[in-house]
Each structure stands twice: as C-alpha cells, then as structure tokens.
C-alpha cells in the first residue's frame, strides 16, 4: 500500500498553484514567443492550442491518474501499475529531468542576470554583445549555479514547506505582473501591428508539418508533460481530488499565461520595429530584442524591464522546482535517501551537467531539441500507451473524486488511439531531425 509517511499538499489551492507553477515558466514567455515568431505567428498559436487541448490534456490527466493512484514517484509508480518493464519508463523520466534542468537552469541564470542588470544599471546600447558575454562561459555558469542553489534550497524544504509555500506566494505575483504588462503593452504604438502578426494566421504556414511539430513539442514542454513532473506532484494528492477539473485548471492557466505573454512580447517588438531581429529567431533572440525595446523606452522601460525579467525568474524557478522534484522524489522512494541529501547531491550533479550548455548556446539549443523531441514527446507517447492499454482500471482511478464526469470514454479512447497515433507521426519526423542536429554538433 501507499507509504503512510508520504507528504501531502496542505490544500487544493497549494497543489493547483504548484502544478501551474510547473507549467508556467520560460516555456510560456521565452520559448512560446520565439517559436511563434519563427513559425508565422498565429499559425503556430492555433496549432499549439489545438494540440494542447486534444493531445496535451488527455496526457496530463493520465499523469495525474498514475501519480495519485500509485502515491509514488515515477519509477515506483510505473512499476507499481505495470511491473518492472514499465519502471524503465520512469528511469527515462528521471533522465529527462536531469537533462532539461541542466539547460533550463542556464537560461534561468540569464534571466536572473538580466533582472539584476536592469535593476542596477539598465542596458546600454550594445545589447547583442552584452548578451554574448552573459550567455556563455563562467558568467553563464555562475548564474546557473546560483539559480540551482535557490531551486535546491526550496525542494530541500519539502513538498509543503518548500514547493507549496513558494508557489502560493510567487504564482499570484507572476499573474499580476504579466497581466499588468499586457495592459501596458496595449498602449504602445506597435500594439496593432504586433497583435496582427500574433493573431492573424499565415495560411501557408498553417499547412506546414514543421509548424505542427514545433507546436507539439511546445505543448508538451509548456504543460510539463512526458517526464513525470505532473505525475510526481499528483502523487502527493488525496483520493478525494477531482482530477479532470484539476487538469482543466492547469491547462487553462498555462494556455492563458502563454497567450498573455504573447500580448506583451509582440507589441513591444513591433513598437520599436524590431521584428526583423526576431525573424531568424534563435534561443537568444528575445534576450537581445526585448532589452533593446526596454532601453529605447527610457525610464518606463527600466520599470517594465525589471517587471518582465522578474516574472521570467519567478516562472523559471517554480518550473525548475518541479523538474528537480522528479529526481529527488525518485531518490527518496527508490534509494532511500533523505530529501536534503537527494536535493543537494542531484542538484549539484545537474548544475555540472549544465556546463556544456553554459559554454555554448548551440549545445543548449540541441539539448533543448533532444529533451523535447525525444524525451517529452517520446515519454508522452509511451505514457499514453501505458494508461490506455496496460494500466489496470485507469477509469476507476479518475472516477474517485470525480463521479459526475461523463467523458471518461472519450479520454480513454483518445489515449488509446488518437494521442499515440499523433505522437508517432510527429516522432517519425522529429527523431531523425534531432539525430541530425546532434550529429551536426559533433561534426
Ligand atoms: N513547463 C515548463 C515551462 O514552460 C518547463 C518544464 C518542462 C517543467 C517539463 C517541467 C517539466 O517553462
């Protein structure tokens, strides 16, 4: 039976805010905007929304069902319901946690650095060169390490005292900042042009498979799916929780913040005629473009910049916590380690693993691709097969706490057929492409 000493969230709100904190992060503000810019704006947004609802939401509910049902961390949870062979999928999840946090922490380190720069001195004119200095080498590594220490300290304080408490304080602040910035952005000259690019689709792009693929990867990344983060958080829930409602709330908040972040970023870019800069978008584009926008806006720009980067840091922190928790909870359950020991040892290992990404943004981009295209999409594929076909009575598990819901059959059918079929199609294209990117890095 479930471990009697296992920690639980102290309230429904605590769980929801922690899960939303996991979902909302650099993915919503940095990754979403740069992918949207690269993939024809609205075309990408439409795909992303559709995939989140039809594919992401069923997988999210699947993760919640496995986690709460087993009351265990990913490796143990999958083994519990599926036997030893499936616990390997849990090992893949933990590996994904390592990999993602290793470069996520580097980008988060940039945002901490940026927040400090805007706060103390403001950006000068030569932002592209500045970004070059900040984003690589010891500078990048140092701030990544600093960010990891913060993450470790919070996770080390436990589910209630660390993760839940942080989310309860920081998430409302983040919502307030992002919404406030969107109102401000609406007053800028470039707002109409920015909205137009963001919201009116380019139909040529809408038909392209590449856009579909990026949108699928983004849907999984943004909802923290396919590597057991949501599974782990759900393992601290009681059986009276209404999982379908929770999944809708989490997905709604994640989409909402991503969408509002777009309402901030695109007007800013267009107000200052910086759209060309984002055209050939790369991981660094926003870190160059947005500070240029803030710099040109003078005094207000300073304030807006501080708020923007503080929101990024907050989003990154609450997401990083969930990534580390996947690893830490597995070490507690599987290796019998104490939480403090697991957090510090594995957190330090992840910080070191981030070194290649800290020294090269090319490496960082490729690791991001591997994590998304292989681990998250592949993990989501395997998990949907698991819950669709292998797990005994998943519907019974969702029903606990959600008796009135009528769409279980639809959910199960999506997980059995549509979700794996769609993900297989995307993987078919994404796997060779990712392999080529990895080879190119070494070649
Ligand atoms: N969802 C987070 C974001 O958008 C990233 C993340 C991915 C977190 C996978 C946990 C697991 O920034």
């Amino acid at each position: 039976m479930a471990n009697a000493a296992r920690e639980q969230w102290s309230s429904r709100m605590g769980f929801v805010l922690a899960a939303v904190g996991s979902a909302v992060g650099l993915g919503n503000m940095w990754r979403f905007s740069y992918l949207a810019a690269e993939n024809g704006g609205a075309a990408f947004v439409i795909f992303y929304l559709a995939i989140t609802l039809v594919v992401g939401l069923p997988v999210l509910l699947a993760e919640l069902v496995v986690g709460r049902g087993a009351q265990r961390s990913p490796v143990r949870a999958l083994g519990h319901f599926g036997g030893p062979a499936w616990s390997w999928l849990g090992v893949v999840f933990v590996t994904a946690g390592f990999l993602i946090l290793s470069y996520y922490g580097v980008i988060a380190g940039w945002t901490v650095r940026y927040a400090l720069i805007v706060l103390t001195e403001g950006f000068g004119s030569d932002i592209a060169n500045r970004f070059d200095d900040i984003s690589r080498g010891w500078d990048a590594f140092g701030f990544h390490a600093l960010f990891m220490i913060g993450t470790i300290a919070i996770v080390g304080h436990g589910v209630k005292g660390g993760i839940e408490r942080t989310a309860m304080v920081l998430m409302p602040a983040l919502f307030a900042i992002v919404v406030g910035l969107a109102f401000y952005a609406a007053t800028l000259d470039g707002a109409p042009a920015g909205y137009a690019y963001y919201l009116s689709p380019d139909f040529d792009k809408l038909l392209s498979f590449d856009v579909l693929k990026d949108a699928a990867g983004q849907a999984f990344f943004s909802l923290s799916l396919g590597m057991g983060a949501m599974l782990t958080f759900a393992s601290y829930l009681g059986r009276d929780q209404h999982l379908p409602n929770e999944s809708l709330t989490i997905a709604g908040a994640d989409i909402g913040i991503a969408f509002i972040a777009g309402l901030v970023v695109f007007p800013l870019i267009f107000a200052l005629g910086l759209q060309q800069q984002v055209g050939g978008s790369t991981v660094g584009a926003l870190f160059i473009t947005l500070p240029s926008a803030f710099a040109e806006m003078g005094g207000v720009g300073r304030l807006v910049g501080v708020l923007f980067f503080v929101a990024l840091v907050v989003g990154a922190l609450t997401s990083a916590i969930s990534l580390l928790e996947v690893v830490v909870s597995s070490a507690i359950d599987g290796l019998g380690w104490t939480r403090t020991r697991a957090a510090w040892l594995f957190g330090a290992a992840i910080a070191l693993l981030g070194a290649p990404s800290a020294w090269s943004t090319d490496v960082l981009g490729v690791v991001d691709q591997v994590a998304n295209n292989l681990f998250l999409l592949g993990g989501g594929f395997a998990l949907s097969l698991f819950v669709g076909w292998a797990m005994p009575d998943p519907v019974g598990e969702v029903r606990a706490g959600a008796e009135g819901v009528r769409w279980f059959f639809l959910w199960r059918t999506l997980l059995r057929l549509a979700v794996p079929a769609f993900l297989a199609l995307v993987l078919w294209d994404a796997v060779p492409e990712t392999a080529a990117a990895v080879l190119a890095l070494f070649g």
Side-chain angles (χ1 to χ4, degrees), residues 128-315:
N129 277 331
R130 194 82 192 266
F131 176 72
D132 256 5
D133 290 343
I134 289 174
S135 64
R136 280 182 306 191
W138 285 108
D139 279 63
F141 188 74
F143 277 86
H144 159 63
L146 190 72
F147 177 83
M148 285 303 302
I149 291 174
T151 307
I152 293 167
I154 295 169
V155 170
H157 273 90
V159 176
K160 258 192 261 201
I163 300 174
E164 181 171 348
R165 227 202 285 154
T166 306
M168 293 289 268
V169 176
L170 293 184
M171 291 315 289
L174 180 120
F175 292 134
I177 295 177
V178 176
V179 171
L181 289 175
F183 276 110
Y184 170 73
T187 67
L188 296 172
D189 289 343
Y195 294 151
Y197 180 77
Y198 180 38
L199 302 174
S200 60
D202 171 347
F203 284 98
D204 286 350
K205 294 254 185 176
L206 200 51
L207 298 173
S208 118
F209 192 78
D210 272 346
V211 180
L212 186 75
K213 190 177 54 199
D214 274 351
Q218 175 62 14
F220 270 68
F221 185 83
S222 185
L223 271 177
S224 309
L225 294 180
M227 52 77 64
M230 292 298 177
L231 188 163
T232 305
F233 275 8
S235 76
Y236 306 119
L237 279 176
R239 293 203 85 212
D240 52 346
Q241 206 90 4
H242 196 302
L243 298 183
N245 278 358
E246 308 308 27
S247 61
L248 286 169
T249 310
I250 298 165
D254 185 49
I255 293 173
I257 294 285
F259 187 76
I260 298 172
L263 294 178
V264 176
V265 169
F266 288 97
L268 277 172
I269 293 173
F270 280 79
L272 294 137
L274 296 167
Q275 52 271 32
Q276 262 68 37
Q277 276 192 27
V278 194
S281 204
T282 58
V283 286
L286 284 182
F287 286 91
I288 298 168
T289 313
L290 289 178
S292 319
F294 299 142
E296 283 182 42
M297 286 158 53
V300 201
R302 250 335 241 288
L303 177 65
V304 173
V306 170
L307 290 174
F308 185 85
F309 286 110
V310 165
L312 274 178
V313 172
V314 166

Side-chain angles (χ1 to χ4, degrees), residues 4-171:
R6 194 173 182 79
E7 259 195 283
Q8 295 235 322
W9 305 103
S10 58
S11 66
R12 165 176 188 250
M13 197 59 178
F15 162 71
V16 169
L17 286 181
V20 171
S22 169
V24 171
L26 297 173
N28 303 58
M29 287 173 270
W30 155 77
R31 212 165 177 281
F32 176 78
S33 318
Y34 103 72
L35 286 175
E38 191 178 69
N39 287 305
F44 174 83
V45 178
I46 291 172
F47 273 139
Y48 161 76
L49 285 176
I51 296 170
T52 299
L53 293 177
V54 180
V55 183
L57 201 52
V59 175
L60 173 57
L61 185 53
E63 284 209 21
L64 299 185
V65 163
V66 175
R68 188 189 65 175
Q71 299 281 305
R72 288 165 167 83
S73 61
V75 183
R76 286 283 158 107
L78 287 158
H80 173 71
F81 285 126
W86 280 103
S87 54
W88 282 101
L89 180 59
V91 176
V92 173
F93 285 177
V94 174
T95 312
F98 258 86
L99 205 63
I100 297 178
L101 189 50
S102 78
Y103 76 88
Y104 198 84
V106 173
I107 305 167
W110 301 347
T111 66
V112 174
R113 182 73 183 276
Y114 266 55
L116 290 175
I117 292 178
V118 226
L119 200 63
T120 53
E121 43 182 305
F123 277 98
S125 48
D126 201 4
I127 291 161
N129 277 331
R130 194 82 192 266
F131 176 72
D132 256 5
D133 290 343
I134 289 174
S135 64
R136 280 182 306 191
W138 285 108
D139 279 63
F141 188 74
F143 277 86
H144 159 63
L146 190 72
F147 177 83
M148 285 303 302
I149 291 174
T151 307
I152 293 167
I154 295 169
V155 170
H157 273 90
V159 176
K160 258 192 261 201
I163 300 174
E164 181 171 348
R165 227 202 285 154
T166 306
M168 293 289 268
V169 176
L170 293 184
M171 291 315 289

